[in-house]
């Protein structure tokens, strides 16, 4: 009886320890990670096909005046917003995907690039004022104003993930 108990105990220990052993070096992953950057880019180009992949983590539109930058995890932060650009971030604290504009184009739609209702933080590194709107309500409403050379690491709870388009005041 003691031998049988010892064998069963040893078997349980081995079975419990097996999942902790490393996989063989030649093992292939079964499926890509959910935040795989190339998968995100492929989906972006399928949903918004006017873009071109211009780096391992970026898709450009309008001859580079608009870019979407992808990150590999929700905790990762995209590169800082370029000077003379304004950026919208998918997550608070400038995290997640980043949508960058490098022009002064009056009204522009975030939805044209898959960013409708997706902004939680922003940076305005231009000399222009930007007004951001929610068009999902009638009449549409101003959510916030971005002064020149300003930023918000977190938009208010009332405006989080509601931005659809913006207007840039391109005066001198």
């Amino acid at each position: 009886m003691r031998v049988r108990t010892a064998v069963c105990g040893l078997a349980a220990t081995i079975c419990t320890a097996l999942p902790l052993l490393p996989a063989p070096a030649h093992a292939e992953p079964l499926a890509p990670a959910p935040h795989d950057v190339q998968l995100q880019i492929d989906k972006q180009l399928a949903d918004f096909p006017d873009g071109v992949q211009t780096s391992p983590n970026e898709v450009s539109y309008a001859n580079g005046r608009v870019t979407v930058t992808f990150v590999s995890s929700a905790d990762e932060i995209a590169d800082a917003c370029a000077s003379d650009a304004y950026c919208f971030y998918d997550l608070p604290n400038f995290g997640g995907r980043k949508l960058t504009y490098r022009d002064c184009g009056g009204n522009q739609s975030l939805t044209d690039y898959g960013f409708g209702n997706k902004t939680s933080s922003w940076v305005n590194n231009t000399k222009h004022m930007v007004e951001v709107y929610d068009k999902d309500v009638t009449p549409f409403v101003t959510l916030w104003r971005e002064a020149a050379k300003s930023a918000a690491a977190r938009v208010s709870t009332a405006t989080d993930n509601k931005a659809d388009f913006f207007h840039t005041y391109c005066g001198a």
Side-chain angles (χ1 to χ4, degrees):
M1 186 74 150
R2 291 183 126 195
V3 173
R4 186 175 178 192
T5 303
V7 170
C8 289
L10 179 61
T13 302
I14 291 171
C15 292
T16 303
L18 282 178
L20 301 176
L21 296 175
H26 66 277
E28 295 294 321
L30 297 176
H35 294 290
D36 181 85
V37 171
Q38 190 58 52
L39 288 177
Q40 293 177 67
I41 287 174
D42 293 345
K43 181 168 177 17
Q44 177 76 23
L45 291 170
D47 293 345
F48 306 95
D50 292 336
V52 175
Q53 184 171 352
T54 52
S55 79
N57 69 332
E58 190 171 85
V59 173
S60 295
Y61 295 88
N63 295 318
R65 291 187 310 272
V66 179
T67 57
V68 181
T69 305
F70 298 87
V71 295
S72 60
S73 75
D75 296 331
E76 189 176 349
I77 296 174
D79 295 336
C81 189
S83 61
D84 295 325
Y86 30 95
C87 301
F88 299 89
Y89 294 85
D90 196 21
L91 298 173
N93 301 313
F94 318 109
R97 292 180 310 140
K98 176 180 72 172
L99 179 62
T100 302
Y101 288 83
R102 290 180 182 85
D103 65 356
C104 199
N107 287 338
Q108 297 193 60
S109 180
L110 301 171
T111 59
D112 289 348
Y113 309 103
F115 244 79
N117 299 320
K118 301 253 188 233
T119 300
S120 294
S121 54
W122 56 265
V123 174
N124 179 357
N125 279 336
T126 73
K127 62 182 179 179
H128 310 293
M129 189 189 58
V130 176
E131 283 187 333
V132 180
Y133 304 98
D134 179 2
K135 70 175 182 180
D136 292 338
V137 295
T138 304
F140 62 83
V141 297
T142 302
L143 297 174
W144 66 80
R145 288 181 177 86
E146 301 177 9
K149 307 292 183 189
S150 64
R154 181 181 303 269
V155 300
S156 75
T157 302
T159 62
D160 190 33
N161 291 322
K162 292 187 178 175
D164 297 305
F165 78 101
F166 63 94
H167 180 85
T168 305
Y169 293 90
C170 300

